[in-house]
Amino acid sequence: MQQEPNEVTTMDHFEQLGFAIMVIFGAIIITSLMAVGIAWNDKPAFLFALGAATSVWTSSFAVVFDRPRIFGAFLIISIVLIGLSITAIVS
């Protein structure tokens, strides 16, 4: 008998993508904004960056459960919060 090759299911792909989103955005980009907010004692910048990190983390679950509209909404929220964090740091 011939064995069929192992196929990667779509859920596995979405889980990998969701994990990549959590690592890249949450750990690298937004954490650096939080660090600047702490180092410069800028509470609004830190809180905006924390909100963006939480939003991106939540959006990764939307990817895992295949909800593109929810993912897009959380992504827009996090982009706005990142912009507010940068604005709070600059001003």
Side-chain angles (χ1 to χ4, degrees):
M1 287 191 153
Q2 210 176 22
Q3 292 182 354
E4 294 182 22
N6 292 337
E7 293 184 24
V8 176
T9 62
T10 55
M11 187 55 109
D12 289 336
H13 175 69
F14 287 130
E15 288 173 353
Q16 291 174 354
L17 183 60
F19 182 73
I21 289 170
M22 282 192 289
V23 170
I24 291 171
F25 284 101
I28 298 171
I29 298 169
I30 299 173
T31 306
S32 63
L33 286 172
M34 291 169 59
V36 168
I38 290 171
W40 291 352
N41 200 18
D42 193 355
K43 193 175 194 175
F46 172 76
L47 292 176
F48 287 139
L50 182 64
T54 306
S55 176
V56 170
W57 179 74
T58 306
S59 74
S60 64
F61 290 106
V63 171
V64 169
F65 294 120
D66 194 22
R67 303 286 186 201
R69 290 185 180 165
I70 296 173
F71 170 73
F74 278 116
L75 195 61
I76 290 172
I77 290 169
S78 65
I79 290 170
V80 168
L81 288 170
I82 289 170
L84 289 171
S85 179
I86 292 172
T87 304
I89 290 170
V90 171
S91 61

